[in-house]
């Protein structure tokens, strides 16, 4: 699933918001090393973003690559200790378009527009922490590959999942950064955060 904003458009808008001289682009070798740690190829938009913008720059979110690697390795160690709980990064991301189609209906009914699935989730990688236990995860494959989802850190079953982006109707739902009822591809996720953080 592709973003509405292109990489070039993202760069143009960021140039209006900040000084791009602070960009620390990753090399192809560094991206490949991250893919080796994660254990799967990165979705196209994230991969291209890292090669051009590195972890990003303010006012957009700055990806903490060390945190991504540390949390990935921590989860891999947990899987080694509890192999019955292990999930595969290459396994299909289980949220479908049919699941997503329920979100606007739930919101229209006055119900929280969230989905409940097991955590850890197949076909996802750590992307960004938002404080406390709230994190954004990136779908790695399937129809929704490259979209960003909010959930909680932890291994509890039936965790909440919903599209991750700056909040809409935050007070209404009572969940941080919530209210979006459509999947948010990576570049759209990034520019929405950049716009929300510029003030």
């Amino acid at each position: 699933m592709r973003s509405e904003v292109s990489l070039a458009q993202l760069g143009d808008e960021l140039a209006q918001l900040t000084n791009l001289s602070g960009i620390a682009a990753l090399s192809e070798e560094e991206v490949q090393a991250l893919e080796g740690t994660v254990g799967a190829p990165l979705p196209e938009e994230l991969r291209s973003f890292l090669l051009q913008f590195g972890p990003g720059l303010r006012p957009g979110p700055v990806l903490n690559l060390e945190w991504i690697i540390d949390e990935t390795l921590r989860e891999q160690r947990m899987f080694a200790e509890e192999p019955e709980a292990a999930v595969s990064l290459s396994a299909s991301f289980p949220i479908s378009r049919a699941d997503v189609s329920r979100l606007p209906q739930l919101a229209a009914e006055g119900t929280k527009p969230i989905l409940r699935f097991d955590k850890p989730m197949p076909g996802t990688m750590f992307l960004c922490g938002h404080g406390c236990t709230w994190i954004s995860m990136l779908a790695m494959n399937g129809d929704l590959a490259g979209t960003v989802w909010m959930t909680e850190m932890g291994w509890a079953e039936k965790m909440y999942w919903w599209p991750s982006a700056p909040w809409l109707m935050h007070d209404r739902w009572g969940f941080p950064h919530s209210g979006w009822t459509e999947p948010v591809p990576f570049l759209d996720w990034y520019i929405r955060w950049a716009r929300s953080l510029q003030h």
Side-chain angles (χ1 to χ4, degrees):
M1 185 170 182
R2 300 190 66 83
S3 293
E4 293 181 3
V5 63
S6 69
L7 198 65
Q9 291 169 328
L10 176 66
D12 290 342
E13 186 161 345
L14 287 178
Q16 298 175 31
L17 300 177
T18 191
N19 185 346
L20 298 186
S21 64
I23 290 174
L26 270 64
S27 67
E28 175 65 28
E29 291 73 20
E30 289 172 316
V31 172
Q32 289 180 6
L34 178 60
E35 290 176 324
T37 300
V38 170
L42 299 178
E44 178 187 349
E45 287 191 357
L46 174 60
R47 197 177 204 284
S48 298
F49 178 90
L50 294 173
L51 290 170
Q52 183 163 336
F53 297 106
L57 66 170
R58 302 294 181 195
V62 176
L63 302 179
N64 186 335
L65 300 180
E66 182 177 347
W67 176 84
I68 292 173
I69 291 170
D70 287 348
E71 291 301 326
T72 299
L73 294 176
R74 182 181 68 85
E75 192 163 81
Q76 290 172 355
R77 287 194 296 271
M78 288 183 177
F79 289 156
E81 295 169 0
E82 300 183 43
E84 69 281 0
V87 296
S88 170
L89 203 68
S90 60
S92 297
F93 178 60
I95 296 178
S96 67
R97 291 188 183 276
D99 295 320
V100 167
S101 69
R102 294 167 42 210
L103 294 174
Q105 180 180 354
L106 290 172
E109 295 170 350
T111 304
K112 296 168 184 170
I114 59 174
L115 303 170
R116 288 181 173 84
F117 288 88
D118 292 341
K119 172 71 181 76
M121 182 92 98
T124 62
M125 66 168 277
F126 291 100
L127 183 65
C128 187
H130 300 286
C132 295
T133 60
W134 300 105
I135 56 173
S136 288
M137 303 287 287
L138 187 71
M140 297 291 285
N141 53 51
D143 288 344
L144 299 177
T147 56
V148 188
W149 296 82
M150 182 79 81
T151 188
E152 290 182 278
M153 186 79 74
W155 281 35
E157 293 184 356
K158 300 302 178 186
M159 301 298 291
Y160 298 129
W161 290 79
W162 65 89
S164 175
W167 54 89
L168 292 175
M169 302 179 292
H170 174 61
D171 293 337
R172 180 179 180 189
W173 302 122
F175 285 83
H177 321 306
S178 61
W180 299 95
T181 58
E182 81 284 351
V184 184
F186 176 78
L187 295 183
D188 286 346
W189 174 86
Y190 193 89
I191 197 60
R192 289 180 188 183
W193 278 101
R195 291 166 181 164
S196 74
L197 296 173
Q198 64 180 301
H199 300 297

